[in-house]
Amino acid sequence: MCSKGTTGLQTWPASLVLCQWATHNSHLFKDKDVIELGCGAGLLGCTLDTHARHVTLTDHHHSVLEVAQRNITVNNVTRASVRTLDWEQCGAVPGCDVVVAADVVFDPSILPSLAKTINIILKTSSAREPVCYICSTVRNKDTYSTFLTALADQELAVEELKLAVRSCYLETGVDNDVRLLEIKIK
């Protein structure tokens, strides 16, 4: 699961679910500038490229960004770029309308920084109604609860969206508790 010191060099189940959901809800991304947090191999960013004005795939790990850039190039993705983003030192991210992330809620120690990064990006956005969609496989209920608390501490509005689509890639009973959150400024 961990390669070269990171978990970001593979595609995780919630990313597949979020790709499917985003495709079915492409109007939410049409002509928007999107930033992906913890981009991994870049599948979600490459999928959103067909709908968004521009997608910025971010991660803090150099090896992950190299793989994401390679996947952008190989797949002829034309409206995407990669960028280093460390949640511990996040500043404003200009030009962002929508934030997305998949399977980034796994380590309790990073969740306050993730919530703060989401808050900073949403509050510094020039969009009228910036929004964040986070899709997570809930492997540990305490960790997921810690994330919800971190979002509340940042005074963000959180709504769990119904996932009418389910990924055919998820095995029955294995990592099957996948949840999608919509996060906004209160």
Side-chain angles (χ1 to χ4, degrees):
M1 298 293 190
C2 189
S3 174
K4 296 186 180 181
T6 180
T7 57
L9 293 174
Q10 72 176 46
T11 299
W12 292 91
S15 183
L16 300 170
V17 172
L18 189 51
C19 285
Q20 187 178 32
W21 180 86
T23 299
H24 287 235
N25 293 279
S26 60
H27 64 281
L28 298 173
F29 304 95
K30 184 172 174 43
D31 299 324
K32 304 281 175 121
D33 291 314
V34 178
I35 184 166
E36 181 181 5
L37 303 177
C39 68
L43 177 65
L44 178 57
C46 289
T47 300
L48 290 172
D49 175 74
T50 60
H51 311 295
R53 177 177 32 241
H54 187 266
V55 182
T56 304
L57 291 79
T58 69
D59 204 283
H60 75 281
H61 202 280
H62 182 71
S63 296
V64 171
L65 293 172
E66 285 179 349
V67 169
Q69 181 61 60
R70 188 168 41 248
N71 285 332
I72 286 171
T73 302
V74 170
N75 289 292
N76 297 315
V77 173
T78 59
R79 295 181 303 232
S81 59
V82 299
R83 171 184 164 177
T84 301
L85 182 64
D86 184 344
W87 302 341
E88 297 284 326
Q89 301 172 10
C90 180
V93 178
C96 175
D97 303 304
V98 181
V99 180
V100 295
D103 267 329
V104 294
V105 179
F106 59 88
D107 178 353
S109 71
I110 65 169
L111 300 179
S113 296
L114 172 58
K116 183 177 180 182
T117 297
I118 293 166
N119 189 25
I120 289 169
I121 294 171
L122 294 179
K123 286 189 174 174
T124 59
S125 171
S126 59
R128 279 198 328 238
E129 293 184 36
V131 63
C132 175
Y133 299 104
I134 302 263
C135 194
S136 301
T137 303
V138 180
R139 294 176 183 88
N140 181 307
K141 290 183 181 180
D142 290 338
T143 300
Y144 193 73
S145 179
T146 298
F147 180 56
L148 295 176
T149 300
L151 293 170
D153 290 346
Q154 292 293 320
E155 299 180 359
L156 293 167
V158 178
E159 179 181 352
E160 186 170 337
L161 301 180
K162 185 174 181 345
L163 281 168
V165 294
R166 296 299 287 190
S167 177
C168 61
Y169 303 104
L170 295 178
E171 296 178 36
T172 304
V174 178
D175 290 339
N176 218 6
D177 188 6
V178 178
R179 301 182 191 178
L180 177 61
L181 298 179
E182 179 183 71
I183 304 164
K184 296 181 177 181
I185 300 167
K186 284 187 179 179

